[in-house]
Amino acid sequence: MGTVTTLPVVDLRADSALLRTRLREAAHGVGFFYLTGHGVPEALTARVLDAARRLFALPQADKDAVAMVRSPHFRGYTRLGGELTRGQVDWREQIDIGPERASIGGPGRPDYLWLQGPNQWPAALPDLPGIVAEWDAVLSEVSRRLLRHWAASLGSSPEVFDEAFAEAPATLIKIVRYPARAADTQGVGAHKDSGVLTLLLAEPDSRGLQVRLPQGEWTDVPAVRGAFVVNIGELLEVATGGYLRATEHRVDLSAATSDRISVPYFFNPRLDAQLPVLSLPAELASAGTARTEDPADPIHSVYGRNAWKSRLRAHPDVAAAHGYAPGRLETENPVLGAKGE
């Protein structure tokens, strides 16, 4: 495994032509890159990391009062060891936060609509909702800019993805702490993100994130001050005919010497949306990645179905508490040839 990252760096302030080339090459070659020049205020980043530290310093009873298992919308706090990746325990604690909207789930409606609903907020942190709302607004704009540049770089209209995100995008924010001393080395197991794109904030100079390179080896991705780590989700890979790459990644705690805060921001369309599949120029289409169908673990064309599948697998305790049937939607409307998380 490499000890120095080989990820490219993309500056969002670059000339449009150069920026689009760099974005296309980075997302095609590795699927992960550092993003600089994004314009996110340093003061806001500092407030987010400070709020995260204060969150995890709360008494355990305060965190458990907003436990995810209490929420039919998969929102709230998860204890150390309370989440699974591919059936194996992840050793981290976290809170999951989505857009603050009314619940739309109910009898006769698709189960995935339960993913919309109110959040659970720790009473001892009254400023947390405002900080998260500001973070969501700023990172949503960065994400939209990235998607438009990618679309243009692949020969499509920059606005081709806009409709899927126009109303009620199903963004997700996780605030995560990985401990220095863990029961296992798996902070989070090897996986690919099941949505569209992810912007990751991690404390500067912290380590643990690893990415599998196209050659198959794992490489470290240390946090870089002032930069986000950006990666592609599987729905964007499908939408680009395999040209943009959804890359496997994990967090390995074997070398951890201190705990680590990270805040991944998952930019996803509304729950019932399907991303359009782009018609790429011939020279790009021929370089797309061939996919092998896995009927037992498909990618669903409707975003909400894909997200629901992942939630049921990661949090079986929440599914059981609210009477959700694991796997019921996993054979409906898949995008054949795409492998899920």
Side-chain angles (χ1 to χ4, degrees), residues 19-318:
L19 172 61
R20 290 170 179 176
T21 298
R22 291 284 291 156
L23 283 172
R24 185 181 67 238
E25 291 175 347
H28 173 64
V30 182
F32 265 76
F33 59 91
Y34 291 107
L35 182 70
T36 62
H38 43 69
V40 176
E42 291 184 13
L44 177 57
T45 298
R47 288 169 59 209
V48 169
L49 292 174
D50 173 69
R53 283 289 177 189
R54 289 186 286 122
L55 167 67
F56 295 120
L58 292 175
Q60 190 64 48
D62 287 12
K63 294 182 285 188
D64 288 341
V66 293
M68 183 186 284
V69 74
R70 301 172 182 267
S71 168
H73 315 295
F74 291 86
R75 307 286 180 83
Y77 172 76
T78 301
R79 278 185 173 227
L80 288 168
E83 186 178 28
L84 305 177
T85 297
R86 294 179 175 170
Q88 302 298 311
V89 173
D90 295 328
W91 204 247
R92 59 181 182 174
E93 61 175 329
Q94 62 190 6
I95 190 168
D96 284 54
I97 302 165
E100 193 69 54
R101 301 188 184 114
S103 174
I104 56 174
R109 311 203 74 192
D111 281 355
Y112 65 77
L113 293 180
W114 281 110
L115 293 174
Q116 177 170 312
N119 293 296
Q120 297 190 88
W121 301 103
L125 296 178
D127 61 336
L128 185 59
I131 293 171
V132 169
E134 189 173 352
W135 190 246
D136 180 36
V138 172
L139 266 62
S140 173
E141 180 55 33
V142 174
S143 300
R144 291 175 191 275
R145 289 172 64 190
L146 287 172
L147 282 179
R148 288 167 181 160
H149 282 302
W150 266 316
S153 77
L154 297 173
S156 292
S157 164
E159 293 80 26
V160 67
F161 295 124
D162 283 4
E163 192 278 332
F165 294 86
E167 296 181 8
T171 53
L172 177 67
I173 296 171
K174 288 178 176 280
I175 303 175
V176 185
R177 183 183 76 89
Y178 296 96
R181 293 179 175 83
D184 199 345
T185 60
Q186 178 172 303
V188 62
H191 67 286
K192 299 179 182 180
D193 290 350
S194 60
V196 175
L197 72 91
T198 305
L199 281 73
L200 174 68
L201 168 69
E203 288 183 308
D205 304 316
S206 63
R207 292 180 175 268
L209 177 63
Q210 297 175 342
V211 170
R212 191 189 292 275
L213 298 177
Q215 305 93 311
E217 67 186 61
W218 291 95
T219 188
D220 290 329
V221 184
V224 173
R225 187 176 299 275
F228 287 96
V229 177
V230 180
N231 68 280
I232 300 303
E234 289 184 308
L235 288 186
L236 190 54
E237 179 173 303
V238 169
T240 60
Y243 190 84
L244 302 187
R245 182 190 299 272
T247 304
E248 198 172 27
H249 53 289
R250 68 187 183 187
V251 172
D252 184 351
L253 301 178
S254 58
T257 57
S258 61
D259 64 352
R260 173 178 181 267
I261 299 293
S262 68
V263 186
Y265 177 84
F266 302 93
F267 189 61
N268 298 309
R270 68 180 185 275
L271 291 170
D272 65 351
Q274 294 180 251
L275 290 190
V277 177
L278 305 186
S279 296
L280 272 62
E283 66 274 16
L284 301 182
S286 63
T289 304
R291 309 291 296 184
T292 301
E293 180 182 347
D294 182 358
D297 196 6
I299 284 290
H300 300 285
S301 58
V302 174
Y303 169 66
R305 295 186 187 280
N306 222 38
W308 186 252
K309 175 195 70 176
S310 295
R311 285 304 198 165
L312 294 181
R313 292 178 173 182
H315 298 280
D317 56 336
V318 179

